[in-house]
Amino acid sequence: MIIVSLTSWPKRIFNVPIVLKNILNGTLKPDYIELNLYSEEFPNKEDDLPKELLEIEKLNINIKSSILC
């Protein structure tokens, strides 16, 4: 099983969709991707995330965004 865990912050969150696309286009596909975000840096939760990232999350690829406490 291949699990990818990422953590990001506001200044880099717009790079995450590019990173995820590259991971998903790789030779070995992950079974699960988890994106960890600190809640104080993303107080509006999904409203603070780029639309491109939300579109990737809608695909059936087992991506979970956890906004940490």
Side-chain angles (χ1 to χ4, degrees):
M1 179 177 263
I2 299 173
I3 299 172
V4 175
S5 178
L6 304 143
T7 302
S8 191
W9 60 303
K11 290 186 179 183
R12 298 278 185 198
I13 194 67
F14 291 95
N15 294 331
V16 173
I18 297 165
V19 171
L20 291 177
K21 286 179 183 177
N22 285 329
I23 289 170
L24 294 169
N25 288 326
T27 305
L28 295 173
K29 308 285 188 233
D31 298 300
Y32 184 77
I33 299 173
E34 182 167 331
L35 173 60
N36 298 297
L37 306 171
Y38 185 53
S39 62
E40 288 186 19
E41 293 179 339
F42 298 93
N44 298 313
K45 301 194 185 314
E46 286 188 355
D47 290 338
D48 288 337
L49 302 179
K51 290 179 185 177
E52 189 176 12
L53 176 58
L54 296 173
E55 291 299 317
I56 292 172
E57 287 185 333
K58 289 179 184 176
L59 300 174
N60 190 17
I61 52 174
N62 297 322
I63 295 179
K64 173 190 174 193
S65 281
S66 1
I67 299 198
L68 304 174
C69 299

